Structure formats: C-alpha cells, structure tokens
Amino acid sequence: SGPASSCDTIKSTWVAPSPPPPSPSPPPSPSPPPHNHCEGSSHRYWRLRLTEQKYAYNIKEIQFFSDIARYDDTQSTIAEPWSETTSLHVKANCINSAQYGGHGCDRAFDNNIDSWWSNWAAGSGNMSWIGMDFETSQKVSHVRFMNGRDLVSNQGHVIVIEFSDDKSTWTEWTGERIVTQPKEQSQTSTSRTNTWQEAISKCSAPNRNPSYTHYPKECVGGHNIVKFTGKTVEQCKEICSAMSNCDAFEFGVAYGGAGGYQAGDCQPQSSANRGSCSGSYYNLDLYVKNEVVNININGKELHQDSDGWILLLAYKHVGGENKALVQGTAPTSPTEGYSHVWLNDLGLTAADVDSVRF
C-alpha cells in the first residue's frame, strides 16, 4: 500500500547556470490587457456550475461577452436590463441541469433583472448548472452574473465557468470563479443598487487549491470583504481560494467571547495582517493563504514555499485507498498532491541539498 499522508521537502543550494548575454532589446510592445487577461477560447456550449449540490437555488440573470470592454474590476456596475440591440445569449437556446416548475433557464437570459431560474427544489440531480447552446463555436471572455433571491442558502457558493463541444465533456476555463453574494430580491428601475458579479478569462489558471496556515484565536482588523454564515472550514477555504482579493479568512469558533461572531461564520479578508485583533474575544480563528512560488530546476516546475523549501513528495493517502505511487511527477500542493520526484529526476545529487525535512 502507499505511504501514510506525508510531505517531503528539501532546501536546495542549487543555482542555475548564468544565462547568455541578452540580445538587443526589441521595440516596446503595446501595453498588455489588464488583469492578466487573454481572450477566451471558442466552444459551442458554455455553462455556470455550482461546485456543490444545492437544492432550491436561484439565478436572476447571466450575460456572456466575447470581449472585456464592459468589465468592471471593482464589481460596482449596477445591474440594468440589456439596452443594446445584439447580445451573445438568446434565451431560447439556454440549457440547464433541471428546473423548478415554470422557473426555466430562459428566465436567466430574459433581460429581466427581477425574474429568476430555479433548479429542482429537492431530490433530483447531482449538480446544478445553467448555460447556453450557441449552436456554433462562440468565444467567451467575460461573464456577468446576478445571484437569485436574498436567502442565506443562495450565498457563499462557488460557481465555475465551463465549456464543451459535445455537451458531455466539460472543461473549466482558465479564468476566474464566482462566489455568490447577497443581492436584494426585487428592485424598481429607479432605485437599483444590485451590482453585477463579473469574471473574465485569464492567460493561465490561478491556483485553485492553495494551502492555508491556521492561527487559532487570531484575526484581522478592518479588512472584511463579505461574511457568510453556516459554513465549514473546507467550504470557507474554497470561497477564499476562488476570490482573487482574499488573502486570508476568519472562521467562527464558539470560544465564548463577546465579539459577536458565531460558529460557522466565514469572513474572507483582503489582508493577512494579524495585528492585535483578539480572536478569543471575537470567537474567530484565522486561516492565511500561503503564497506559492514555483521554481524551475532543469526543466521541471516545483512547488516552493515562502521559506525556500522545495516540495518533492506529497501523498494525500486516504484511509481505505491503495492507489499506485505516482513517480517522476512533481506534486503541486503539500496537502492535495499525490506524486513524488527524487533528486535524480531533477538532475541533482546529495551535494546540491542543504537540508531535508519530513
């Protein structure tokens, strides 16, 4: 059987050979698009999918765009009905995993900010998704999303954006994910405050599964993003991992303090500065997202943490499983990896190693 859950790292003194003298600088190129943006790829089917099974879930409106001309990085654009003459999405071509009664997927593409699609209320399907059959390949670079009714059950869920060419095999795009946030259920045309949640395609996928360092009874002051309730630690990790501006999250623990947070509260933070915040008073633990710095050694990309340790072996060995060892592949996470490499795989010897830890 495979080894118990473990990780093995080395701290290396290896130094890459000096590069050749640089060639003359080419003429300056135009400034790159913002936000590490790359144009989306073209596929017939596009959808938004919840990463967890959720019944009685609702979405008010979705918009697809082939460019990012309307993208708002501040996520502060007021959601208004579509006023232009053309759009990518046509409600008659919508697709979904299921629907509840007359709340079909066309309601999420009907240019009505106050109607919504609803999946099955109970007992049907193992996932919830909604999307569009464009009938021919369509490039998607920008997605706007409006969450459904203002219920706790509709908040704090992670949505991934996926494409397919056969409606059977789906692939997540390299762009951002969406974390559903609370929105008012119904607003009039003269008093709208609900804003779009937006995501754009990226040149490379962000780290979907970063590791976290746990600091019991600690917290961050003054950098709250949004609070969700009734979550587990693992759900809160998924939420923070999906938010590009989340550096850490506070998690409610019943310490008996007077600070007001409850067990299961999930509070993403835009800073990881623990400062003098008292987690015992506020009933909070802190989880800080670990910075990942990859290092290339003789053509292989390896995970390196902020202290310089390089990950060689990591097996998330689950009880009752007996998977074969994955040799010659560098693990990408100390907590989720399932593979290993040795020094000879990297063209190194013991003389290149300063120290080892297990």
Side-chain angles (χ1 to χ4, degrees), residues 235-254:
Q235 287 173 327
C236 203
K237 284 182 180 179
E238 185 182 24
I239 289 170
C240 184
S241 300
M243 302 174 74
S244 60
N245 60 337
C246 182
D247 295 331
F249 67 87
E250 296 163 341
F251 190 78
V253 181

Side-chain angles (χ1 to χ4, degrees), residues 57-322:
Y57 183 74
N58 307 277
I59 292 176
K60 288 184 178 179
E61 200 74 6
I62 300 170
Q63 294 180 351
F64 292 105
F65 301 99
S66 60
D67 56 44
I68 63 168
R70 302 166 189 82
Y71 177 67
D72 179 4
D73 188 39
T74 67
Q75 309 277 314
S76 59
T77 298
I78 300 296
E80 295 282 1
W82 183 253
S83 60
E84 299 184 30
T85 56
T86 59
S87 62
L88 295 183
H89 39 271
V90 178
K91 66 179 184 179
N93 295 336
C94 69
I95 54 177
N96 58 210
S97 53
Q99 69 184 57
Y100 177 63
H103 294 271
C105 61
D106 59 306
R107 288 190 167 209
F109 300 98
D110 63 356
N111 204 29
N112 182 346
I113 306 298
D114 298 317
S115 66
W116 57 80
W117 163 77
S118 179
N119 67 349
W120 285 110
S124 177
N126 58 8
M127 68 174 65
S128 293
W129 57 265
I130 179 173
M132 185 63 57
D133 174 4
F134 289 107
E135 298 187 328
T136 60
S137 289
Q138 174 61 55
K139 178 177 68 176
V140 173
S141 295
H142 175 203
V143 177
R144 278 177 171 172
F145 167 84
M146 174 57 61
N147 200 18
R149 293 181 292 172
D150 188 18
L151 302 173
V152 171
S153 60
N154 257 34
Q155 303 171 19
H157 302 300
V158 176
I159 288 180
V160 299
I161 299 168
E162 299 175 319
F163 56 78
S164 175
D165 292 309
D166 59 8
K167 204 180 174 183
S168 176
T169 301
W170 294 87
T171 302
E172 183 175 0
W173 76 342
T174 57
E176 300 165 322
R177 291 180 171 183
I178 294 172
V179 177
T180 62
Q181 298 187 16
K183 303 293 179 181
E184 292 295 329
Q185 180 170 341
S186 182
Q187 298 185 327
T188 65
S189 60
T190 58
S191 62
R192 295 194 185 279
T193 58
N194 283 340
T195 55
W196 291 111
Q197 290 187 248
E198 307 189 51
I200 58 173
S201 57
K202 295 293 187 75
C203 299
S204 58
N207 183 9
R208 307 289 195 195
N209 297 292
S211 59
Y212 289 83
T213 300
H214 180 201
Y215 296 95
K217 297 184 178 181
E218 297 201 38
C219 48
V220 173
H223 292 274
N224 297 342
I225 300 175
V226 60
K227 187 178 80 171
F228 304 106
T229 60
K231 300 299 181 183
T232 66
V233 170
E234 291 305 311
Q235 287 173 327
C236 203
K237 284 182 180 179
E238 185 182 24
I239 289 170
C240 184
S241 300
M243 302 174 74
S244 60
N245 60 337
C246 182
D247 295 331
F249 67 87
E250 296 163 341
F251 190 78
V253 181
Y255 287 130
Y261 281 92
Q262 305 296 316
D265 284 351
C266 170
Q267 181 75 76
Q269 298 290 321
S270 60
S271 170
N273 185 358
R274 303 194 298 279
S276 58
C277 184
S278 172
S280 58
Y281 174 81
Y282 288 106
N283 301 311
L284 293 171
D285 282 359
L286 182 67
Y287 293 79
V288 175
K289 187 184 294 183
N290 294 325
E291 182 181 357
V292 176
V293 179
N294 286 341
I295 183 173
N296 187 296
I297 298 180
N298 293 333
K300 285 188 177 291
E301 290 287 326
L302 292 106
H303 173 105
Q304 183 179 41
D305 68 17
S306 58
D307 293 322
W309 292 97
I310 300 170
L311 186 65
L312 294 187
L313 183 151
Y315 281 92
K316 184 181 180 181
H317 191 72
V318 179
E321 292 184 353
N322 190 24

Side-chain angles (χ1 to χ4, degrees), residues 23-31:
S23 57
S25 298
S29 57
S31 298

